[in-house]
C-alpha cells in the first residue's frame, strides 16, 4: 500500500518480452531440428529380437479372461478392431506386448514378450515407451522429463490398461466407500494419488477445505482439477500458466487486475492460502492477525499484540475492516477497505 | 403503539420463512416427480435390458439407484451441510450407457440427486476414435453460516435502516440492534454448466472446443468501515450474483517424432453488483467529517485471454525437446465509484487526470523449454529453463481526493505498477547403477526481479540442490527419499529506517535457508497386504530477519495399511500426523514512530497440529449376497498461538514495555470431526440390490474468534485478559455468524437396479 508516486527511470519500465521472444525462437529452432529424418529414437519401445506378429486371436486362446475384461474398455474398442487406425492399433494385443511368436513358443520366459507388472524385467522408461507410442499428445505431451516420469512412475502405476474405471482406465481402489447418505463415493482418483501423496490427501479433512468429490461433497473437484500428473510447465504440476491462473479459473472475482493491487496476491495465492486444507477459515495458512503481521510489521495498529477479545482479533480479524484484501477498484481503496 | 422495527422485522421474517417453506415443498414435489420418472425410465430399459440389454439397436447398460435419507440431531450447524444438501428426502443416481450395435457410436448419461442443492447431470455422445460431445451441469452449495443476523433491509446492493431508528448511541445501541435483527442465510450455490466437443479426424489432428459458465448466487459476509480502519465495524450480508464464462479452444498436430499444440482460453467475469452501499448506523446527516452512508466496491468485471503454443520433438540420442510459450492478457476497466458517498464534501469519480476508469491491464508472459535425454539405459538427463513475467501496464492514477479513512479527511494516494519476472534454470541427472537403485541429483537456480514492490525494485537469487534415491531391493518394496536444500538471498532491497524495522523483509523475498526431506516406503509382500509409511520434514529459516517471519517448519508422518486377511474380510487403516510451526517477531511502535525500543518487541508462535485416523472394513457375510461396509474416521485440528516479550522491561513509560506491546497467549482453537458409517448391501438378485446405511457424525468446534460473535458486541472487548470492558463507545454491528458444533444421526435406504 503506497501513498506516494515512485519516480521511475526509463530503465525501470520492464518491457522485457525480448527475452521471451528469444526463448520462443530457440523453441522453434529446436522443434525444426527435431523434424530432421532419423531423429525419432527418444523413447522407442523395446524390441523382442527374432519375434514375429501372430495376431490377437492367438492371444485370446490362453488369455480369454483378459480379452473379456477388455471388451468394454476404450483400448478394447480401438485395438485390433475395425476402428483401429495407423500401423500400430491394428496389431491388437501385440501393439503393446510386442510380436508374440516367441512368447507362444516359451510363454514362461519374460524376455519373450513385453510385460508391465512388478516382476517385469523392463525398466520404467521402457514400459512407458510402449504407451508413449500413442499417448505422447494431449495432456501427455509434456510427460517426458516431468516429475513423475523422472521418478520412474510408470503409466501402469495408475492406469489399468486392460480395464479400469471410467474412460481414463484408472486403477480401482480395493473397495467401495460411501458417504453419509449411503451413496458411493467418487474417490478413485483421490485414493490413487493418495497412495503416494498421503498427507496431501488427508489435508482435505481439515476444518477449512474445498469441496471434494471423494468426501461425498458436491462439485467435481478432484486432484486433476488443478494438477496434470502427466507434466506441465508450472511448478507442482499445476495445469495452468501459474498457480494464480489456476485459482482464478474458479475464483475469477479475485483475478483483477485491480486499481489497487495487494502485492502478495499478484505473486502467488499460496503466499496466504493452503490449497489442500487448513485449520483456519478460508484456507489461510495461519490465523489472522498473525498471518498479516508476518509481513505488516511496525506501522500503526498492526504492531500491537492484542488480547483475543479485541475487534482486530475476533470474527474475521484484519478482514473485518480490510475486507477486499485481494484488490480494490475504489478511488479510496488504497487500504482495501473501500 | 406498534414498534416499527419489530413489525418490519417480523413481516420480513415471515415472508422469507413462507418462501423457504414453499421452496422446500416444491423441492419435495419435484423430487417425487423425478423419482417417479427415474423409476419409469429404469423400468423401461430394464425390462428390455434384462431380456438381452438391447434397445432399438443399442446395447444399453447402467444402473438406477433411488431411495431416501432421514437424519435427526443438531442439523442446524453450517458445518453439517457445508458442501452438501442433507435435507431429509429423496436421493438418487442414474447412469445409463449405450453402444450402438455393430457401430462405433456410444452415449453415456448420468443424473445424481435431482432437485437437491448438490444435483449433477452429465451426458456424453460420441464415436470411438472420432468425436465426443460432452454436456454437463452441476450445483455445489457452500453454506457459510446458519446463525447470521442482520439489522439491515436489503434492496439489491443497497442496505438501509429506517431513519427514525438512527443514530445508534451507546445508550440505545444494544436495544436497537437486538430489535432490528433478522436471520439471513450466509452461503451461495455455484452452478456450472459446460459443453465440449472433441474431434480427432485423423491420427494426427485433434481439435477441441469447450464452453462453460459458472454462476455464483447467494450471500456472503463483508466487513465494512466508514471511518478509519480500527473504528466501528459494520458487517453486511451482501448478495453475490456473478457469472464467469469460459471458452477453450485447442488444436493439435502430432506425429511420433514431434507434436504441436495450440490452446486458447478466454474467460469473462461479469458481476451483477459493482458496489455495496449502506446506511451508517451512527450518523444520519452528512457533514465534513462524518458520512451518513458507506460504500465499498464489489469485484469488478474483468476478462482474460490466454494463448499458448506447445511443441515437442524427438532428437537424436534418445533425446526430446519440449517448449511452451504462453501469453495472457488480463483486462479490467470498470468505472470508478465516487470517492466518498458524502454530499457535504467534494465528490468526484475521476482521478486527478480526469480518468474515470482504471484501464487496468496486465500481461503474463510464460515460456518453458526442456531438453531430456537418455543417452544410456542407466542414465537420464534433463535441462530446463522457465520464464514468467507479470507485466503491469495499468496507467498510474493519482487521487488527491481519496477518502480511505473517513473522518481523517481527504488524502492523496497514487497507484503503483507492481510487476515481476521469475526465471528458473535447472539440470537433473538420473543414474541407475544397478536395477534396484536409482539416484537423482539436480541443481536449480531461481531468479526474481520485482519492480515497484514497497516503492522499490530488487531481486532474489536462490540456489537449490536436490538429491533423491529410489530403492527396490525386492519387487514388494519401494523406498523413495528426497532431500532439497535451498539458499535464497535478496539484493538491492533498501531499508528506510523511518518506515521499516531493521531486517524486517517480507517472507516471500527475505533471505532464506530451506531444508526439506520427504520419504515414502511402500510394501506389497502379498497381494492381500500393502502397508505404506510416509514422512516429511521442512524448515524455512529466514536467518537474516530480525522481524517478520523468522522461521517456519512442518513435519508429517503417515501410515496406511490395506489388508485382506481372509476372503470375506478386507481392512484398511490410516493415520497421519502433521505439525506446522510459524515463528514471527515484531515491535510495538509508540505513535507509529520508528524504530521504537526493544522492550516493546514481541514474538509469536503459531502451531497447527492435525491427527487423522481412518479405519474401514468390508465384511462379506454371505458371498455374492450380503456384505457390510464399516468406516470410522476422526480428524483433530488444533491451533495454539503463544506470544511473549523477549525483552520485557516492567514499568512501561519511555523505557519499559508498553501495555499495547504486552504479550498474551490466546486460547487453543480446536475442531474435531468424527464419522462412523455402516452400510449393508444385500443383493436380492444379480441385478436388484438393497442398501441400508447409518452414519453418525459429531463435530465439535472451539474458536475464540468465532464462538462469541453476536450482532451486538458491546462490553465484550478487553484490554487485558479478564480485565474490565473497553471501547464501550464503539458501536460495531456484526452478523454474529458462527459454525456451531453438531451431532447427527443419518439413516439412508436405497434400491439399486443394474441393467
Amino acid at each position: 500500500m503506497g501513498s506516494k508516486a515512485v519516480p521511475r527511470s526509463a530503465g525501470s519500465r520492464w518491457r522485457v518480452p525480448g527475452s521471451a521472444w528469444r526463448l520462443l525462437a530457440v523453441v522453434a529452432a529446436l522443434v525444426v531440428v527435431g523434424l530432421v529424418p532419423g531423429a525419432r529414437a527418444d523413447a522407442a519401445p523395446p524390441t523382442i529380437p527374432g519375434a514375429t506378429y501372430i495376431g490377437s486371436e492367438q492371444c485370446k486362446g490362453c488369455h480369454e479372461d483378459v480379452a473379456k475384461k477388455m471388451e468394454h474398455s476404450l483400448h478394447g474398442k480401438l485395438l485390433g478392431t475395425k476402428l483401429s487406425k495407423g500401423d500400430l492399433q491394428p496389431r491388437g494385443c501385440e501393439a503393446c506386448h510386442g510380436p508374440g511368436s516367441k512368447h507362444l513358443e516359451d510363454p514362461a520366459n519374460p524376455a519373450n514378450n513385453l510385460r508391465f507388472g512388478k516382476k517385469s524385467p523392463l525398466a520404467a522408461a521402457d514400459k512407458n515407451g510402449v504407451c508413449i507410442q500413442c499417448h505422447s499428445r494431449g495432456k501427455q505431451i509434456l510427460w517426458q522429463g516431468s516429475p513423475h516420469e523422472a521418478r520412474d512412475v510408470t503409466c501402469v502405476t495408475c492406469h489399468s490398461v486392460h480395464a479400469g474405471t471410467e474412460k481414463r482406465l484408472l486403477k480401482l481402489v480395493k473397495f467401495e466407500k460411501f458417504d453419509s447418505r449411503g451413496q458411493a463415493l467418487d474417490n478413485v482418483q483421490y485414493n490413487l494419488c493418495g497412495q503416494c501423496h498421503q498427507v496431501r490427501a488427508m489435508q482435505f479433512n481439515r476444518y477449512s477445505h474445498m469441496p471434494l468429490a471423494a468426501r461425498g461433497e458436491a462439485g467435481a473437484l478432484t486432484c486433476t482439477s488443478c494438477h496434470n500428473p502427466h507434466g506441465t510447465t508450472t511448478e507442482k504440476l499445476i495445469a495452468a500458466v501459474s498457480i494464480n491462473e489456476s485459482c482464478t479459473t474458479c475464483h475469477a472475482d479475485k483475478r483483477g487486475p485491480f486499481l489497487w493491487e495487494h502485492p502478495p496476491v499478484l505473486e502467488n495465492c499460496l503466499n496466504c492460502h493452503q490449497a489442500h486444507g487448513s485449520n483456519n477459515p478460508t484456507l489461510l495458512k495461519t490465523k489472522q492477525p498473525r498471518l498479516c503481521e508476518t509481513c505488516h510489521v511496525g506501522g500503526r495498529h498492526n504492531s500491537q499484540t492484542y488480547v483475543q477479545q479485541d475487534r482486530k482479533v475476533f470474527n474475521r480479524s484484519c478482514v473485518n475492516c480490510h475486507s477486499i484484501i485481494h484488490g480494490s477498484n475504489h478511488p479510496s481503496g488504497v487500504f482495501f477497505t473501500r | 403503539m406498534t414498534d416499527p422495527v419489530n413489525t418490519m422485522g417480523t413481516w420480513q421474517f415471515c415472508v422469507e420463512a413462507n418462501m423457504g417453506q414453499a421452496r422446500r415443498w416444491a423441492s419435495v414435489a419435484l423430487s417425487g416427480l423425478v423419482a417417479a420418472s427415474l423409476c419409469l425410465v429404469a423400468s423401461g430399459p430394464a425390462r428390455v435390458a434384462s431380456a438381452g440389454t438391447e434397445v432399438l439397436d443399442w446395447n444399453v447398460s447402467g444402473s438406477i439407484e433411488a431411495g431416501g435419507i432421514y437424519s435427526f440431531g443438531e442439523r442446524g450447524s453450517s458445518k453439517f451441510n457445508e458442501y452438501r444438501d442433507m435435507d431429509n428426502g429423496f436421493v438418487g443416481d442414474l447412469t445409463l450407457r449405450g453402444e450402438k450395435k455393430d457401430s462405433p457410436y456410444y452415449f453415456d448419461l448420468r443424473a445424481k440427486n435431482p432437485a437437491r442443492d448438490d444435483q449433477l447431470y452429465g451426458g456424453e455422445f460420441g464415436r470411438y476414435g472420432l468425436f465426443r460431445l460432452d454436456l454437463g451441469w452441476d450445483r455445489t452449495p457452500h453454506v457459510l453460516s446458519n446463525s447470521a443476523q442482520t439489522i439491515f433491509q436489503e434492496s439489491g446492493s443497497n442496505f438501509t435502516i429506517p431513519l427514525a431508528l438512527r443514530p445508534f448511541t451507546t445508550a440505545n445501541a444494544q436495544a436497537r440492534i437486538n430489535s432490528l435483527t433478522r436471520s439471513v442465510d450466509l452461503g451461495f450455490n455455484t452452478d456450472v454448466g459446460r459443453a465440449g466437443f472433441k474431434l480427432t479426424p485423423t491420427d494426427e489432428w485433434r481439435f477441441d472446443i469447450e464452453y462453460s459458465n459458472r454462476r455464483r448466487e447467494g450471500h456472503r459476509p463483508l466487513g465494512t468501515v466508514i471511518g478509519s480502519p480500527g473504528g466501528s465495524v459494520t458487517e453486511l450480508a451482501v448478495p453475490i450474483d456473478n457469472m464467469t464464462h469460459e471458452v477453450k479452444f485447442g488444436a493439435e498436430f502430432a506425429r511420433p517424432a514431434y507434436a504441436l499444440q495450440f490452446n486458447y482460453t478466454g474467460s469473462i467475469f461479469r458481476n451483477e453488483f459493482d458496489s455495496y452501499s449502506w446506511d451508517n448506523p451512527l450518523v444520519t446527516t452528512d457533514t465534513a467529517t462524518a458520512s451518513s452512508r458507506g460504500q465499498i466496491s464489489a469485484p469488478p468485471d474483468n476478462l482474460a485471454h490466454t494463448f499458448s503454443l506447445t511443441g515437442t520433438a524427438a532428437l537424436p540420442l534418445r533425446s526430446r525437446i519440449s517448449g511452451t510459450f504462453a501469453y495472457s492478457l488480463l483486462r479490467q476497466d470498470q468505472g470508478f465509484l465516487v470517492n466518498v458517498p458524502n454530499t457535504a464534501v467534494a465528490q468526484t469519480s475521476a482521478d486527478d487526470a480526469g480518468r474515470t476508469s482504471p484501464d487496468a491491464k496486465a500481461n503474463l508472459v510464460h515460456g518453458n523449454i526442456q531438453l531430456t535425454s537418455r543417452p544410456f539405459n542407466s542414465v537420464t538427463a534433463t535441462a530446463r529453463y522457465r520464464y514468467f513475467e507479470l507485466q503491469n501496464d495499468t496507467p498510474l492514477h493519482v487521487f488527491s481526493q481519496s477518502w480511505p479513512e473517513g473522518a481523517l479527511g481527504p488524502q492523496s494516494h497514487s497507484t503503483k505498477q507492481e510487476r515481476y519476472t521469475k526465471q528458473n534454470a535447472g539440470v537433473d541427472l538420473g543414474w541407475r547403477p544397478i536395477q534396484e537403485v536409482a539416484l537423482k541429483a539436480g541443481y536449480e537456480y531461481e531468479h526474481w526481479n520485482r519492480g515497484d514492490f514497497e516503492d522499490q525494485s530488487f531481486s532474489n537469487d536462490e540456489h537449490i540442490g536436490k538429491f533423491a534415491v529410489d530403492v527396490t531391493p525386492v519387487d514388494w518394496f519401494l523406498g523413495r527419499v528426497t532431500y532439497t536444500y535451498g539458499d535464497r538471498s535478496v539484493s538491492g532491497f533498501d531499508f528506510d529506517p523511518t518506515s521499516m524495522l531493521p531486517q524486517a523483509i517480507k517472507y516471500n523475498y527475505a533471505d532464506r535457508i530451506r531444508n526439506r526431506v520427504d520419504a515414502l516406503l511402500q510394501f506389497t509382500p502379498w497381494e492381500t497386504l500393502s502397508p505404506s509409511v510416509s514422512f516429511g520434514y521442512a524448515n524455512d529459516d529466514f536467518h537474516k530477519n530480525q522481524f517478520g517471519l523468522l522461521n517456519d517448519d512442518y513435519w508429517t508422518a503417515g501410515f496406511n495399511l490395506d489388508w485382506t486377511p481372509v476372503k470375506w474380510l478386507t481392512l484398511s487403516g490410516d493415520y497421519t500426523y502433521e505439525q506446522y510451526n510459524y515463528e514471527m517477531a515484531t515491535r510495538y511502535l509508540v505513535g507509529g514512530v520508528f524504530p521504537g525500543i526493544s522492550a516493546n518487541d514481541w514474538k509469536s508462535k503459531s502451531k497447527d497440529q492435525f491427527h487423522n485416523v481412518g479405519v474401514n472394513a468390508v465384511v462379506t457375510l454371505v458371498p455374492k449376497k450380503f456384505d457390510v461396509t464399516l468406516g470410522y474416521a476422526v480428524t483433530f485440528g488444533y491451533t495454539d498461538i503463544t506470544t511473549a516479550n523477549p525483552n520485557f522491561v516492567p514499568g512501561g513509560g519511555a523505557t519499559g514495555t508498553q501495555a499495547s506491546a504486552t504479550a498474551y497467549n490466546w486460547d487453543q482453537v480446536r475442531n474435531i470431526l468424527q464419522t462412523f458409517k455402516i452400510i449393508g448391501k444385500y443383493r436380492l438378485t444379480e441385478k436388484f440390490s438393497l442398501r441400508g446405511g447409518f452414519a453418525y457424525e459429531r463435530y465439535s468446534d472451539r474458536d475464540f474468534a468465532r464462538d462469541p460473535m453476536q450482532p451486538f458486541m458491546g462490553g465484550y472487548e478487553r484490554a487485558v485478559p479478564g480485565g474490565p470492558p473497553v471501547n464501550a463507545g464503539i458501536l460495531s454491528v456484526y452478523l454474529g455468524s458462527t459454525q456451531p458444533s453438531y451431532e447427527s444421526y443419518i439413516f439412508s435406504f436405497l434400491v439399486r437396479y443394474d441393467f
Side-chain angles (χ1 to χ4, degrees):
Chain A
M1 294 178 290
S3 57
K4 55 186 181 188
V6 186
R8 287 175 176 75
S9 64
S12 70
R13 285 291 296 162
W14 282 30
R15 302 302 309 181
V16 204
S19 56
W21 290 116
R22 283 195 292 277
L23 175 72
L24 185 64
V26 172
V27 173
L30 286 166
V31 168
V32 170
V33 168
L35 303 182
V36 297
R40 299 184 48 173
D42 61 325
T47 54
I48 305 161
T52 55
Y53 290 101
I54 55 173
S56 291
E57 289 307 312
Q58 290 272 11
C59 309
K60 288 176 187 170
C62 298
H63 303 285
E64 193 185 346
D65 53 335
V66 177
K68 198 169 172 60
K69 251 169 56 174
M70 278 191 74
E71 264 176 25
H72 295 290
S73 75
L74 197 56
H75 278 139
K77 300 288 176 195
L78 295 179
L79 296 179
T81 68
K82 61 184 179 184
L83 296 178
S84 300
K85 291 179 187 171
D87 299 332
L88 201 61
Q89 289 181 4
R91 302 263 183 220
C93 307
E94 293 171 299
C96 303
H97 292 283
S101 62
K102 296 195 85 173
H103 174 64
L104 198 62
E105 291 164 13
D106 180 8
N109 187 344
N112 283 347
N113 67 341
L114 306 181
R115 301 179 183 191
F116 302 89
K118 279 186 194 168
K119 294 184 192 300
S120 166
L122 294 180
D126 289 328
K127 289 179 187 173
N128 292 341
V130 173
C131 307
I132 284 170
Q133 293 177 96
C134 297
H135 299 284
S136 60
R137 54 194 296 179
K139 288 185 175 172
Q140 294 89 26
I141 193 169
L142 296 173
W143 168 253
Q144 283 166 288
S146 70
H148 282 140
E149 194 259 359
R151 293 302 289 269
D152 287 342
V153 174
T154 64
C155 305
V156 295
T157 305
C158 302
H159 298 279
S160 178
V161 176
H162 294 141
T165 62
E166 308 169 357
K167 289 170 279 293
R168 293 178 192 85
L169 301 177
L170 291 179
K171 276 190 172 172
L172 273 171
V173 288
K174 274 195 169 175
F175 53 84
E176 248 185 338
K177 287 184 182 173
F178 300 90
D179 65 16
S180 291
R181 296 187 296 198
Q183 296 184 297
L185 287 174
D186 176 13
N187 59 357
V188 174
Q189 194 183 95
Y190 173 80
N191 284 351
L192 200 56
C193 301
Q195 285 180 0
C196 293
H197 304 281
Q198 283 176 13
V199 174
R200 288 281 174 265
M202 285 298 157
Q203 288 173 349
F204 278 93
N205 291 328
R206 294 176 176 180
Y207 157 79
S208 170
H209 61 270
M210 288 187 275
L212 189 73
R215 285 173 57 99
E217 292 162 338
L221 198 71
T222 62
C223 308
T224 53
S225 301
C226 304
H227 302 278
N228 177 0
H230 301 105
T232 69
T233 59
T234 316
E235 66 263 54
K236 311 285 183 193
L237 290 173
I238 293 291
V241 170
S242 69
I243 288 168
N244 282 19
E245 270 43 63
S246 177
C247 301
T248 54
T249 302
C250 297
H251 302 281
D253 54 324
K254 298 174 178 68
R255 181 167 55 203
F258 295 101
L259 178 67
W260 307 99
E261 299 278 12
H262 192 190
V265 180
L266 273 182
E267 206 174 277
N268 192 339
C269 302
L270 302 184
N271 277 334
C272 300
H273 298 281
Q274 278 186 330
H276 298 103
S278 162
N279 213 29
N280 307 297
T282 59
L283 297 170
L284 290 177
K285 282 165 82 171
T286 189
K287 201 166 184 63
Q288 292 182 87
R290 293 293 183 255
L291 174 69
C292 308
E293 287 166 337
T294 52
C295 286
H296 296 279
V297 295
R300 293 189 310 193
H301 49 257
N302 52 37
S303 71
Q304 296 180 41
T305 49
Y306 297 117
V307 297
Q308 66 187 44
Q309 295 96 339
D310 192 286
R311 88 176 71 85
K312 297 183 192 72
V313 177
F314 63 64
N315 203 33
R316 287 178 301 125
S317 189
C318 307
V319 182
N320 280 332
C321 300
H322 303 279
S323 51
I324 42 176
I325 199 66
H326 296 99
S328 171
N329 213 45
H330 195 292
S332 302
V334 62
F335 301 135
F336 309 112
T337 56
R338 300 283 187 263
Chain B
M1 194 173 127
T2 310
D3 181 342
V5 177
N6 280 336
T7 307
M8 193 175 299
T10 308
W11 176 82
Q12 185 151 353
F13 175 78
C14 288
V15 169
E16 291 189 355
N18 288 335
M19 285 178 67
Q21 204 170 23
R23 276 197 297 270
R24 178 52 49 207
W25 278 112
S27 163
V28 169
L30 185 57
S31 301
L33 193 65
V34 174
S37 307
L38 279 175
C39 291
L40 282 173
V41 167
S43 60
R47 276 194 302 274
V48 183
S50 58
T53 67
E54 280 184 28
V55 181
L56 300 174
D57 266 358
W58 287 81
N59 291 321
V60 178
S61 61
S63 66
I64 182 163
E65 211 173 80
I69 62 165
Y70 176 76
S71 66
F72 61 90
E74 296 148 338
R75 304 168 66 246
S77 170
S78 53
K79 289 304 277 185
F80 179 60
N81 50 8
E82 187 175 21
Y83 291 119
R84 56 187 187 173
D85 182 345
M86 292 300 289
D87 283 350
N88 295 333
F90 172 80
V91 289
D93 196 350
L94 169 75
T95 60
L96 196 61
R97 181 174 177 75
E99 287 182 352
K100 196 162 173 46
K101 205 177 166 193
D102 301 323
S103 166
Y105 293 96
Y106 70 95
F107 69 84
D108 226 333
L109 299 172
R110 172 97 191 267
K112 189 176 179 187
N113 295 332
R116 281 192 170 266
D117 274 348
D118 52 0
Q119 55 198 303
L120 174 153
Y121 308 91
E124 187 179 313
F125 173 71
R127 186 185 193 276
Y128 291 117
L130 181 62
F131 73 88
R132 192 174 78 198
L133 173 68
D134 282 304
L135 295 166
W137 187 89
D138 63 68
R139 167 170 286 183
T140 305
H142 189 177
V143 180
L144 300 170
S145 177
N146 291 327
S147 65
Q149 299 177 78
T150 182
I151 63 168
F152 288 95
Q153 303 304 311
E154 177 190 329
S155 172
S157 60
N158 187 30
F159 297 86
T160 55
I161 302 170
L163 190 60
L165 298 169
R166 292 189 288 148
F168 294 179
T169 65
T170 49
N172 69 15
Q174 185 168 10
R176 287 276 167 91
I177 290 171
N178 288 339
S179 62
L180 276 168
T181 53
R182 64 181 174 88
S183 294
V184 58
D185 289 335
L186 292 181
F188 53 88
N189 285 331
T190 302
D191 298 342
V192 181
R194 64 184 185 284
F197 184 73
K198 182 177 174 182
L199 179 69
T200 315
T202 68
D203 240 11
E204 295 157 335
W205 283 101
R206 178 184 64 84
F207 301 94
D208 55 70
I209 187 162
E210 186 182 310
Y211 167 76
S212 67
N213 68 59
R214 175 180 300 272
R215 184 175 189 190
R216 285 215 167 94
E217 199 173 15
H219 283 81
R220 70 181 180 91
L222 185 74
T224 64
V225 283
I226 288 177
S228 172
S232 293
V233 176
T234 302
E235 199 177 17
L236 306 173
V238 297
I240 311 169
D241 188 355
N242 60 56
M243 177 91 89
T244 306
H245 304 268
E246 188 177 85
V247 178
K248 288 183 177 178
F249 171 75
E252 183 180 63
F253 183 81
R255 283 187 168 164
Y258 64 93
L260 271 176
Q261 197 179 80
F262 169 78
N263 287 295
Y264 163 76
T265 302
S267 173
I268 302 170
F269 173 76
R270 289 284 173 263
N271 194 348
E272 287 297 309
F273 303 106
D274 63 356
S275 66
Y276 301 107
S277 304
W278 68 99
D279 283 344
N280 186 346
L282 312 182
V283 176
T284 55
T285 309
D286 288 343
T287 65
T289 56
S291 176
S292 64
R293 297 276 292 166
Q295 189 181 43
I296 192 167
S297 58
D301 293 353
N302 65 69
L303 59 89
H305 303 279
T306 298
F307 305 87
S308 75
L309 185 66
T310 298
T312 177
L315 300 174
L317 297 174
R318 292 199 291 185
S319 304
R320 180 164 283 264
I321 182 98
S322 320
T324 294
F325 178 78
Y327 194 75
S328 301
L329 301 98
L330 314 181
R331 299 289 183 267
Q332 189 268 113
D333 197 24
Q334 187 149 307
F336 292 141
L337 299 168
V338 68
N339 60 336
V340 55
N342 184 340
T343 53
V345 301
Q347 290 184 300
T348 175
S349 296
D351 68 2
D352 289 6
R355 285 174 295 200
T356 56
S357 65
D359 191 21
K361 294 174 185 167
N363 303 319
L364 309 177
V365 181
H366 175 60
N368 182 78
I369 187 162
Q370 177 170 288
L371 176 67
T372 183
S373 182
R374 195 177 165 214
F376 311 105
N377 276 344
S378 59
V379 176
T380 55
T382 302
R384 64 176 67 84
Y385 170 74
R386 187 162 61 208
Y387 179 88
F388 184 86
E389 178 178 1
L390 171 75
Q391 301 172 345
N392 188 340
D393 286 347
T394 304
L396 291 173
H397 296 270
V398 179
F399 297 93
S400 57
Q401 289 294 313
S402 187
W403 284 72
E405 300 185 276
L408 295 182
Q411 302 169 7
S412 182
H413 290 281
S414 69
T415 59
K416 295 187 185 182
Q417 284 183 319
E418 293 96 343
R419 56 204 183 270
Y420 62 89
T421 59
K422 180 185 175 191
Q423 298 177 76
N424 297 70
V427 289
D428 292 333
L429 195 64
W431 180 41
R432 188 178 279 277
I434 53 175
Q435 184 63 23
E436 292 78 14
V437 177
L439 304 171
K440 313 270 180 199
Y443 166 77
E444 186 174 334
Y445 170 68
E446 182 170 295
H447 180 77
W448 285 74
N449 275 316
R450 289 177 176 84
D452 219 356
F453 277 61
E454 300 194 63
D455 296 343
Q456 53 183 313
S457 298
F458 53 92
S459 63
N460 275 113
D461 296 282
E462 183 166 15
H463 301 275
I464 303 160
K466 293 177 190 168
F467 182 76
V469 57
D470 296 346
V471 185
T472 47
V474 284
D475 61 18
W476 52 266
F477 172 75
L478 168 67
R480 294 186 192 276
V481 180
T482 309
Y483 171 69
T484 307
Y485 173 84
D487 185 351
R488 185 178 72 185
S489 59
V490 61
S491 51
F493 187 89
D494 296 323
F495 280 104
D496 177 356
T498 63
S499 65
M500 295 176 184
L501 287 169
Q503 288 299 337
I505 305 186
K506 297 184 187 343
Y507 63 86
N508 46 328
Y509 38 81
D511 284 11
R512 180 185 72 190
I513 299 289
R514 167 171 283 179
N515 283 283
R516 179 175 175 159
V517 182
D518 290 294
L520 174 71
L521 307 176
Q522 287 180 328
F523 304 85
T524 46
W526 300 285
E527 282 294 311
T528 54
L529 181 66
S530 52
S532 64
V533 179
S534 64
F535 170 81
Y537 171 77
N539 176 261
D540 284 349
D541 183 6
F542 302 90
H543 55 105
K544 289 189 179 170
N545 265 10
Q546 293 174 26
F547 297 99
L549 190 61
L550 306 179
N551 196 293
D552 84 62
D553 63 56
Y554 78 79
W555 74 272
T556 66
F559 173 77
N560 173 267
L561 173 71
D562 289 334
W563 187 29
T564 308
V566 286
K567 249 185 175 176
W568 52 269
L569 179 66
T570 302
L571 300 167
S572 83
D574 49 68
Y575 170 74
T576 57
Y577 174 76
E578 297 173 76
Q579 185 183 116
Y580 293 75
N581 297 292
Y582 300 89
E583 184 182 2
M584 51 89 56
T586 189
R587 173 178 292 172
Y588 172 61
L589 299 166
V590 181
V593 178
F594 289 86
I597 58 171
S598 65
N600 288 329
D601 287 0
W602 53 274
K603 278 189 172 182
S604 186
K605 291 182 180 177
S606 303
K607 180 162 84 173
D608 286 344
Q609 293 180 89
F610 304 92
H611 299 270
N612 277 284
V613 183
V615 184
N616 296 282
V618 180
V619 187
T620 304
L621 297 173
V622 182
K624 295 186 178 176
K625 267 288 185 201
F626 185 37
D627 53 48
V628 175
T629 304
L630 297 122
Y632 173 75
V634 58
T635 302
F636 299 88
Y638 302 111
T639 297
D640 293 279
I641 297 179
T642 55
T643 309
N645 296 109
N647 309 313
F648 183 79
V649 178
T655 56
T657 300
Q658 296 279 312
S660 292
T662 305
Y664 303 104
N665 294 333
W666 295 343
D667 292 344
Q668 185 182 62
V669 176
R670 186 183 72 186
N671 53 71
I672 303 167
L673 175 64
Q674 294 179 75
T675 56
F676 169 77
K677 294 171 205 164
I678 179 166
I679 308 282
K681 192 158 77 176
Y682 187 81
R683 287 178 192 81
L684 289 169
T685 66
E686 195 179 322
K687 300 187 174 201
F688 251 121
S689 61
L690 306 174
R691 204 159 71 222
F694 166 72
Y696 167 75
E697 293 186 0
R698 181 175 182 172
Y699 174 73
S700 99
D701 179 289
R702 195 174 69 189
D703 185 334
F704 63 81
R706 194 169 49 234
D707 295 345
M709 293 313 299
Q710 295 176 20
F712 178 72
M713 294 294 288
Y716 176 75
E717 294 192 52
R718 301 284 187 276
V720 293
V726 295
N727 293 328
I730 299 273
L731 298 168
S732 296
V733 183
Y734 297 94
L735 294 170
S737 52
T738 60
Q739 293 185 312
S741 305
Y742 73 82
E743 189 171 15
S744 296
Y745 309 84
I746 306 142
F747 293 89
S748 59
F749 180 78
L750 290 122
V751 181
R752 180 185 170 102
Y753 186 80
D754 293 282
F755 50 90

